[in-house]
Amino acid sequence: MGARLRRLGVTDVAVEGPRRTYAAVVATAAVALGLLAFAADSVDGVVGQVVITLTSSGLAWGLAAFLAGRAAAGVRRAAGGATALLVLATLLYYLLVLGVSRRWSGGFLEDGTSADLQGLRSVAIMTTVWLIGSLVAGPTLGLLGHVVRVGGVSPAALAAGVTCGLLSGEGWQAMVEVPPWQLLPVADPYQAEFIQGVVISELLKIVLPLAVLVWLATAHRLWLAWPTLLVATASSGVLSALLWYVLGAAANSI
């Protein structure tokens, strides 16, 4: 019967259906991520900074890639789906910046000439940087998500801890570089509102990954391997914070 079904193509149809569904979900998520990140740029104040954290940060995009990997049926699909999600979202975001908001245009240099070429150069550089980042982070987070779903308790706990550390590294790096207690005492009410938004957004970048870790540990019963969870979270958090520091230094030097 199995051989007959294969000859009739029934097996191929059964496999192709989930593949197409997964691809459609990844494409939809990529479009949503790119559009939300672009829309977040137009929101001002404290709310704007929180919205950017939730839609246009390493945390938001990294979590999306992780969830794409966790939802995949196989290793290749996990890595490929997460990578495709980040790449498509990045391309859509910068295409919208290039053609819709056009934030790169309209400026002038000190000598009065147009700064459009410099603006385009900046967009091109940042697009390249984040595409490279997508090609690195996509497979990594996608595979981590897949391991959490299908691995045993110890491998899944290790993958969940590493994911939490990677996603929270941006927040830890910001906290270490400029501690919140050094920011909050501000007399100017307008500046104080901006600082409050910064502190809230950086706290979210730490709290939300920890909340995701608690969810994963509960859903997959990973508390049995709690030492692995703690060590993996702490060590990958330190590594991620260092990487964000290096990335920030490199971006400021461009």
Side-chain angles (χ1 to χ4, degrees):
M1 177 64 71
R4 182 182 178 185
L5 288 176
R6 283 192 293 272
R7 286 196 299 271
L8 293 174
V10 175
T11 303
D12 293 339
V13 171
V15 172
E16 189 64 25
R19 285 180 178 173
R20 289 179 177 176
T21 301
Y22 181 72
V25 170
V26 168
T28 302
V31 171
L33 198 61
L35 290 175
L36 287 173
F38 178 75
D41 292 340
S42 62
V43 183
D44 298 324
V46 175
V47 174
Q49 294 183 63
V50 173
V51 170
I52 287 175
T53 297
L54 297 177
T55 62
S56 185
S57 64
L59 164 62
W61 288 44
L63 181 58
F66 171 82
L67 294 176
R70 184 173 178 268
V75 173
R76 291 184 178 179
R77 201 179 302 181
T83 305
L85 189 154
L86 294 182
V87 169
L88 290 174
T90 299
L91 290 174
L92 175 59
Y93 174 80
Y94 281 106
L95 282 174
L96 289 172
V97 170
L98 190 65
V100 179
S101 69
R102 297 180 61 85
R103 296 197 308 268
W104 53 271
S105 65
F108 295 92
L109 299 176
E110 293 182 358
D111 60 2
T113 59
S114 173
D116 285 358
L117 287 179
Q118 284 77 359
L120 284 173
R121 174 179 176 272
S122 178
V123 171
I125 290 175
M126 295 310 300
T127 303
T128 303
V129 168
W130 289 115
L131 283 177
I132 293 173
S134 298
L135 294 176
V136 174
T140 301
L141 291 167
L143 291 175
L144 286 171
H146 185 67
V147 171
V148 168
R149 178 186 175 188
V150 305
V153 173
S154 293
L158 178 63
V162 169
T163 300
C164 176
L166 292 176
L167 295 181
S168 63
E170 185 179 6
W172 287 118
Q173 185 272 329
M175 288 289 186
V176 171
E177 187 172 8
V178 184
W181 54 87
Q182 294 182 5
L183 290 173
L184 290 177
V186 178
D188 186 344
Y190 295 103
Q191 189 177 9
E193 182 181 2
F194 173 79
I195 295 300
Q196 289 172 5
V198 171
V199 172
I200 292 172
S201 63
E202 299 307 340
L203 285 174
L204 285 174
K205 292 176 183 178
I206 295 174
V207 173
L208 291 181
L210 292 175
V212 171
L213 180 65
V214 172
W215 164 60
L216 292 174
T218 303
H220 297 279
R221 300 180 179 180
L222 304 180
W223 297 117
L224 296 174
W226 63 266
T228 302
L229 281 174
L230 294 179
V231 172
T233 300
S235 56
S236 62
V238 171
L239 176 61
S240 179
L242 290 174
L243 290 175
W244 278 106
Y245 173 80
V246 172
L247 181 61
N252 291 332
S253 66
I254 295 177

